[in-house]
Amino acid sequence: MDFFSTLYYRTKKVLKSLKMYLAIAGPGLVVMIADNDAGGITTYAATGAKYGYHLIWFLLLLIPVAYYVQEMTVRLGAVTKRGHAEAIFESFGAFWGWFSLLDLMVVDWLTLVTEFVGMTSALNIFGVPPWLTVAGVIGLMGIIVLNGRYWTWEKIALGFCLLNLVYVPAAFMVNPSVKEILGNGLIPNLPGGLNNDLFFLLMANIGTTIAPWMLFFQQSSVVDKGLHEKDIKMGKADTLFGAIITVFVAIFIVVVTGTLLHGVPIDDAATAARMLMNMNHFTGALLAIGLFDAGLLGAICISLASSWAFGEIFGWAHSLNTNVKQAPWFYASYFFTLITAGIVPLIPGAPLVLITLFVQVIAVTLLPAALVFLILLLNDKKTMGEYANTPMQNWITGGIVVAIIILSTMYGVSAIFPNLFK
Amino acid sequence: MRIFTQFSEKIREINARYAKPKVEMSPAIKFSLTGLRIYLLVLVVLLLYKFITLIPAGN
């Protein structure tokens, strides 16, 4: 009898925790999975095609990096009830505030262009003309945000997150060698030594796993959702879960291209999908569907990150819980960013591959600035109280920032002296 | 024209509102912000150089 009562009590407790998690879940999962955007899929596909399974260990390292960086925005948002842009303006003054806002605006817009590039090229594989994809996506995204409820927007976004898992069956369909994945992928190694190509790809992988827009997005999302201090624990679990999923999806993409396209130069994920279709039709089709979904999810989040940030600073109403009449500037900036970015892939001769690759690197170069502000904000004990960074958290996040600064600087130096690492 | 005037007024208002940083400027924070300025200046110049030299090459 005791056994059954204990079992009943424990099951009830687990169900209660699960129910609580499902209520809080959203910002962390959405931001992490949206992180596997069109540019990200291209980066992972190129990583697998160029280095096979050899860089899987590096992707695994990015789980704690992504988690430790993003969980800080959960604490900051839940405690201050302010978005990231507003927090920087208020704490560090107008100069750094404008710098962060303009930085966010430029990187977001460029990233949004890459999302449209990914979506148009993905649907082009199925014969859909680019103009129709752009028009359809803008229309769909309009419907998603104009419903006037954060909750509905979040659940739709989570639905698109589920579609991101198409890479899992795709990886199983190509019959990879588990022995080779474990043998080559899990032991840290730098295939061919540290040269410019490898370095560029490592930087691009970091850039696609943690990006400035993610900090702004998740903090604003936590505020818009109305999370409080008591929700921080679940918010952190949500972020960890998202970090694990995003890296595992990335690994599955590397496995697909590493198995079938190893040694083939890949410029973008759509090219990889086309090549794969010739070898294994369904795998190629899944890669193309996943690429479209990734672009859409990225676009949904990135355009919102900018609009939230502008709303915070300019004092406009800036919540998904408002309608167009209540927050005209919020929705105007959202659609302005979306439409202008959507037009770029339709311009004949636009340097799209260059933009796609550079946006990842520019993002990772500007990331240290965003991370330094984040750490300084999390150390403001007057505002954060018991939720301020502990010395251990400062060591971990400080280490991550230093590592990124070193990598960024090395990239900068290699830009001037291209033969330095050859 | 009116919209631009309103916009510049708004920016002035924002600059005035956030003129004084709220965070206490300890030596560690001053050091971090100065380091950040130097770092950004150097990297932005390097990246612009790279970008400008790549475009005419048609890469």
Side-chain angles (χ1 to χ4, degrees):
Chain A
M1 191 64 188
D2 262 3
F3 170 77
F4 286 109
S5 56
T6 310
L7 186 71
Y8 172 75
Y9 172 75
R10 286 199 177 152
T11 312
K12 213 175 155 188
K13 206 175 160 189
V14 169
L15 285 176
K16 197 181 164 193
S17 300
L18 188 69
K19 210 173 152 188
M20 251 182 85
Y21 171 72
L22 289 176
I24 305 294
L29 264 180
V30 172
V31 76
M32 285 296 181
I33 297 175
D35 180 37
N36 277 349
D37 59 354
I41 305 297
T42 293
T43 306
Y44 303 135
T47 303
K50 191 155 179 84
Y51 296 107
Y53 310 138
H54 287 277
L55 293 179
I56 287 177
W57 64 272
F58 185 75
L59 292 173
L60 285 170
L61 282 182
L62 296 176
I63 294 178
V65 172
Y67 168 72
Y68 276 109
V69 169
Q70 289 300 131
E71 72 84 20
M72 287 195 281
T73 64
V74 177
R75 282 187 278 147
L76 201 53
V79 172
T80 63
K81 313 284 183 292
R82 287 196 311 253
H84 201 57
E86 199 178 347
I88 293 174
F89 264 91
E90 200 165 281
S91 296
F92 303 105
F95 173 79
W96 286 113
W98 286 118
F99 165 78
S100 301
L101 196 63
L102 292 174
D103 167 11
L104 178 78
M105 192 180 77
V106 172
V107 178
D108 274 8
W109 190 83
L110 281 171
T111 313
L112 208 48
V113 172
T114 68
E115 309 304 352
F116 275 103
V117 171
M119 286 186 281
T120 50
S121 48
L123 289 194
N124 206 22
I125 292 172
F126 301 109
V128 180
W131 67 266
L132 188 58
T133 305
V134 171
V137 164
I138 292 171
L140 179 66
M141 286 177 64
I143 294 167
I144 293 171
V145 296
L146 291 176
N147 68 72
R149 283 191 70 195
Y150 174 88
W151 192 92
T152 314
W153 171 87
E154 188 183 85
K155 298 310 165 223
I156 294 170
L158 283 171
F160 286 117
C161 287
L162 270 181
L163 202 57
N164 206 255
L165 298 175
V166 291
Y167 297 107
V168 180
F172 282 103
M173 285 162 79
V174 299
N175 295 318
S177 156
V178 177
K179 200 179 155 192
E180 272 185 43
I181 293 173
L182 297 177
N184 297 338
L186 298 186
I187 300 161
N189 66 100
L190 296 173
L194 188 62
N195 53 46
N196 268 10
D197 288 347
L198 176 63
F199 190 57
F200 192 89
L201 218 47
L202 291 180
M203 287 284 289
N205 273 290
I206 296 173
T208 194
T209 308
I210 29 170
W213 70 263
M214 293 169 66
L215 308 179
F216 287 81
F217 175 86
Q218 192 169 2
Q219 191 171 333
S220 296
S221 183
V222 162
V223 174
D224 210 355
K225 186 160 181 164
L227 299 191
H228 300 284
E229 285 93 329
K230 66 179 170 54
D231 304 318
I232 287 176
K233 201 176 159 189
M234 284 295 175
K236 285 165 84 167
D238 183 41
T239 308
L240 179 63
F241 188 42
I244 293 169
I245 291 182
T246 194
V247 169
F248 271 85
V249 167
I251 290 172
F252 279 103
I253 299 166
V254 168
V255 167
V256 170
T257 55
T259 305
L260 293 184
L261 300 174
H262 192 189
V264 179
I266 296 290
D267 276 339
D268 61 286
T271 312
R274 275 181 205 278
M275 286 178 179
L276 285 172
M277 273 178 122
N278 295 329
M279 300 173 185
N280 184 324
H281 185 79
F282 287 111
T283 309
L286 284 179
L287 193 69
I289 292 167
L291 176 62
F292 174 76
D293 177 61
L296 185 63
L297 201 53
I300 287 172
C301 296
I302 291 162
S303 45
L304 266 180
S306 299
S307 305
W308 267 326
F310 274 106
E312 287 158 19
I313 301 311
F314 282 85
W316 307 328
H318 55 277
S319 170
L320 284 171
N321 290 317
T322 54
N323 59 33
V324 180
K325 271 189 186 172
Q326 292 165 315
W329 286 106
F330 172 66
Y331 288 105
S333 69
Y334 175 82
F335 282 107
F336 178 76
T337 320
L338 203 60
I339 292 168
T340 51
I343 288 170
V344 176
L346 304 179
I347 300 170
L352 301 179
V353 174
L354 189 69
I355 290 175
T356 305
L357 285 172
F358 257 86
V359 74
Q360 306 289 351
V361 181
I362 291 173
V364 82
T365 309
L366 294 175
L367 188 64
L371 292 177
V372 167
F373 289 130
L374 191 62
I375 291 179
L376 294 178
L377 286 168
L378 264 291
N379 276 288
D380 184 4
K381 291 203 167 49
K382 223 190 302 176
T383 309
M384 293 302 294
E386 62 178 294
Y387 298 100
N389 265 3
T390 61
M392 177 61 91
Q393 283 168 325
N394 276 333
W395 274 108
I396 296 169
T397 49
I400 292 169
V401 172
V402 168
I404 290 173
I405 288 176
I406 291 170
L407 282 171
S408 305
T409 311
M410 279 169 72
Y411 176 76
V413 173
S414 75
I416 287 194
F417 307 107
N419 297 320
L420 196 67
F421 298 114
K422 278 188 178 169
Chain B
M1 198 62 197
R2 208 172 128 241
I3 200 158
F4 286 109
T5 318
Q6 281 178 342
F7 191 67
S8 57
E9 270 173 23
K10 190 79 195 170
I11 287 175
R12 270 198 291 274
E13 184 197 314
I14 292 167
N15 286 339
R17 198 190 323 151
Y18 297 112
K20 208 169 172 216
K22 195 184 148 200
V23 79
E24 196 187 322
M25 284 291 166
S26 64
I29 292 181
K30 277 185 188 167
F31 175 77
S32 304
L33 294 180
T34 310
L36 197 58
R37 272 176 211 258
I38 296 165
Y39 168 81
L40 287 169
L41 206 66
V42 172
L43 273 178
V44 166
V45 169
L46 287 176
L47 280 172
L48 280 175
Y49 169 81
K50 177 88 174 175
F51 202 74
I52 291 164
T53 49
L54 270 182
I55 286 178
N59 292 317

